[in-house]
Amino acid sequence: MKLPFAESYKTKMVESIRRSTREEREKWIQEANYNLFNLKSNQVFIDLLTDSGTGAMSDKQWSEMMLGDESYAGASSYSKMKNAISEITGFPYFLPTHQGRAAENVLFSTIIKAGDIVPGNSHFDTTKGHIEFRKASAVDCTIDEAFDTTLDHPFKGDINLEKLEGVLKSNPKEKIPLIIVTVTCNSSGGQPVSMKNMKAVSQLAKKYDIPVFFDSARFAENAYFIKIREDGYRDKSIREIVLEMFSYADGMTMSSKKDAIVNMGGFIGFRDKGLFEKATMYNILFEGYISYGGMSGRDMNALAQGLYEGTEFNYLETRIGQVAYLGQKLKDFGIPVQYPFGGHAIFVDAKRFLPQLPKEQLVAQTLAVELYLEGGVRGVEIGTLLADRDPETGENRYPELELMRLAIPRRVYSDNHMDFIAAALFNVFERKEQITKGLKIVEEAPILRHFTVKLEKV
Ligand SMILES: *Cc1c(COP(=O)(O)O)cnc(C)c1O
């Protein structure tokens, strides 16, 4: 008999989670004003709100915590992090930051000015926020295939080179401080970028003399997809692939809460010493001295160890295999999900799930509430609430896709939990015709309203 797949780790410590009753959940979600962000974690059985900072650290990472060097300057923890970053990414210079958006804040303070243009592939929301905050604009050059959830394409994170060259050609070089390639592309559903595309973007950028930075939160998951899907990489190790990927970039920003499997942390990697030195001033202003930048020594140790573990093939196979296991179950049930499955999450197409609901009734949020009521599973809306109102007209923006994202924390849940999630969503799918009323907004903040919005049933 062929031996089946099995996880590449075992459990040493556990945290109890509790199932609740439907009556309890009805009461809790009403008290939370139908906003899943307002639920207390003990009111949730399986928490798929995000994969950011929610992973389980290993025994080696915990032991590294004990070895943390908390010296203000010259700490060994700083050297450990520097060595891990240069070994894995190839970048000789780095600045530690407390998380990914802090890395964006420091880097963009150094190079972006008002009126600038930053092309990329579906910039992540904090990235876009930090660009727009500086009165610059983000131009999305993702391939069109990314926006059709049913289309099978191996690298939906790819940049459309004609679109990109169009932007580079029609603007003076001084107005384009950098190109940002997000690997994997979070906003288009954890979809990978091919090595071929990274190389082509790098060549194009060189032609126009513009630096390329990778927004690298899930760079290791991206490398896994390259190994599995791209010609010529099957026999290369993840580390070899990662090094080649970063060879096409001038630098990187990193949210270590993703692929470095820590609860908090981030950094910026640089190839150019001059730029690193320029950014240092902002790092000291915003984050802390360059040898810790918002992180404790113990956190830097755990991060360094996490970078090694996060780039192991067996770990990535287990991780991405689990996401695909859930995706395949849902697909087999006939539930409309984005395909191919992303690296960190499954996206359910809420408009196709609940076609009877008008868009004004917050379709993906309604579905996420129904899934919570059914099984105590917390997903998150990626739709109208998240899109906010148009700042000029004050009208609601209705995005093309209404998605419910089920993000899977790293090394946290078992495949039994995946079965539970799939069964809960199947039950909602079975009674979908009875869901004839959605939700409406009672109270909202002017921006980033999804965190605090109060809703009620229509
Ligand atoms: C999470 C994330 C960020 C921001 O990182 P934080 O650590 O949450 O501040 C930036 N870019 C991408 C692609 C991300 O996934």
Side-chain angles (χ1 to χ4, degrees):
M1 189 191 288
K2 184 171 179 283
L3 295 180
F5 178 79
E7 287 81 358
S8 64
Y9 45 78
K10 59 182 179 175
T11 309
K12 184 149 18 190
M13 189 187 277
V14 294
E15 177 182 341
S16 296
I17 48 175
R18 177 181 163 270
R19 281 172 76 160
S20 49
T21 63
R22 172 126 194 162
E23 289 67 41
E24 285 175 314
R25 294 193 292 275
E26 300 258 9
K27 179 166 156 282
W28 291 334
I29 195 72
Q30 206 176 341
E31 287 168 358
N33 298 110
Y34 299 92
N35 180 344
L36 296 151
F37 284 97
N38 286 338
L39 289 171
K40 296 187 177 70
S41 62
N42 63 8
Q43 296 170 337
V44 175
F45 179 49
I46 302 178
D47 204 348
L48 309 182
L49 190 67
T50 176
D51 65 321
S52 177
T54 53
M57 292 209 296
S58 68
D59 52 352
K60 291 207 175 82
Q61 283 179 292
W62 280 107
S63 59
E64 282 297 331
M65 296 281 281
M66 300 302 292
L67 300 172
D69 177 353
E70 307 302 341
S71 309
Y72 195 93
S76 66
S77 299
Y78 171 79
S79 309
K80 217 173 238 178
M81 188 162 154
K82 183 174 169 56
N83 292 342
I85 291 171
S86 82
E87 193 179 327
I88 286 172
T89 69
F91 291 116
Y93 305 102
F94 94 101
L95 288 169
T97 63
H98 78 275
Q99 61 184 92
R101 69 199 68 184
E104 292 165 353
N105 188 31
V106 170
L107 178 69
F108 297 173
S109 294
T110 318
I111 57 176
I112 296 182
K113 56 184 189 318
D116 281 355
I117 290 165
V118 183
N121 54 344
S122 301
H123 308 65
F124 183 62
D125 50 16
T126 63
T127 319
K128 200 168 173 182
H130 272 291
I131 293 169
E132 291 176 352
F133 178 71
R134 291 174 171 79
K135 308 220 170 338
S137 50
V139 181
D140 188 359
C141 301
T142 315
I143 55 169
D144 295 333
E145 288 88 333
F147 304 103
D148 180 349
T149 59
T150 58
L151 194 81
D152 195 1
H153 184 290
F155 293 103
K156 282 185 172 177
D158 276 0
I159 285 193
N160 179 323
L161 299 166
E162 282 90 63
K163 273 194 218 174
L164 176 63
E165 184 150 28
V167 177
L168 302 186
K169 221 186 246 168
S170 57
N171 292 282
K173 170 174 148 11
E174 297 67 41
K175 282 191 82 168
I176 309 177
L178 79 166
I179 297 166
I180 298 177
V181 184
T182 308
V183 294
T184 59
C185 191
N186 192 350
S187 305
S188 72
Q191 299 292 323
V193 180
S194 65
M195 191 73 90
K196 190 167 158 234
N197 194 250
M198 291 180 205
K199 190 174 177 178
V201 168
S202 160
Q203 283 167 348
L204 203 54
K206 281 214 172 75
K207 184 170 147 197
Y208 289 88
D209 193 24
I210 311 249
V212 179
F213 270 72
F214 287 178
D215 181 359
S216 316
R218 300 180 183 81
F219 73 93
E221 291 174 4
N222 200 106
Y224 176 86
F225 284 119
I226 288 175
K227 183 174 166 81
I228 299 304
R229 295 184 185 165
E230 192 163 348
D231 281 347
Y233 290 93
R234 198 154 265 275
D235 298 327
K236 291 225 157 78
S237 72
I238 295 292
R239 298 258 170 84
E240 286 169 328
I241 294 171
V242 166
L243 272 177
E244 184 182 339
M245 280 167 57
F246 285 120
S247 76
Y248 301 125
D250 299 285
M252 66 185 285
T253 53
M254 176 74 185
S255 168
S256 304
K257 303 167 72 169
K258 319 309 184 0
D259 276 1
I261 330 178
V262 288
N263 304 117
M264 193 54 71
F267 61 88
I268 317 169
F270 302 89
R271 201 173 306 291
D272 180 58
K273 186 156 182 246
L275 185 57
F276 159 72
E277 283 168 351
K278 266 193 218 150
T280 296
M281 180 182 82
Y282 294 101
N283 215 72
I284 296 172
L285 268 177
F286 299 150
E287 292 294 293
Y289 188 58
I290 59 161
S291 63
Y292 65 91
M295 299 186 74
S296 310
R298 54 180 172 272
D299 291 337
M300 292 194 280
N301 271 15
L303 197 165
Q305 175 63 25
L307 282 174
Y308 292 112
E309 293 176 15
T311 48
E312 278 169 14
F313 177 77
N314 289 343
Y315 153 72
L316 285 165
E317 186 182 36
T318 303
R319 152 84 178 148
I320 291 171
Q322 184 175 55
V323 175
Y325 174 83
L326 174 63
Q328 195 56 48
K329 281 225 134 162
L330 298 179
K331 196 162 181 272
D332 291 347
F333 288 149
I335 295 171
V337 288
Q338 188 192 43
Y339 196 77
F341 311 125
H344 69 291
I346 295 300
F347 292 73
V348 182
D349 190 332
K351 273 200 220 167
R352 288 201 286 136
F353 195 113
L354 297 171
Q356 69 274 29
L357 287 190
K359 64 181 189 306
E360 292 76 14
Q361 295 188 13
L362 308 170
V363 187
Q365 182 68 14
T366 301
L367 179 58
V369 167
E370 287 297 333
L371 177 61
Y372 173 70
L373 287 172
E374 183 67 36
V377 177
R378 171 159 71 173
V380 73
E381 187 245 35
I382 308 279
T384 303
L385 283 177
L386 187 71
D388 271 332
R389 286 175 189 271
D390 186 303
E392 255 133 56
T393 65
E395 292 299 316
N396 273 310
R397 289 191 278 212
Y398 294 102
E400 204 169 310
L401 292 174
E402 279 279 333
L403 301 170
M404 173 176 70
R405 185 183 77 179
L406 306 172
I408 313 296
R410 294 167 180 77
R411 306 191 289 207
V412 171
Y413 293 114
S414 71
D415 287 355
N416 286 331
H417 292 113
M418 299 302 120
D419 291 343
F420 185 97
I421 298 158
L425 196 56
F426 175 76
N427 289 347
V428 179
F429 197 55
E430 287 251 288
R431 60 175 170 80
K432 62 182 186 302
E433 276 89 22
Q434 294 153 30
I435 304 170
T436 52
K437 290 204 170 107
L439 296 162
K440 65 174 185 213
I441 297 174
V442 188
E443 235 181 271
E444 63 187 301
I447 59 166
L448 297 175
R449 63 180 176 182
H450 57 287
F451 289 118
T452 53
V453 69
K454 290 185 180 167
L455 306 167
E456 66 180 25
K457 282 191 175 163
V458 169

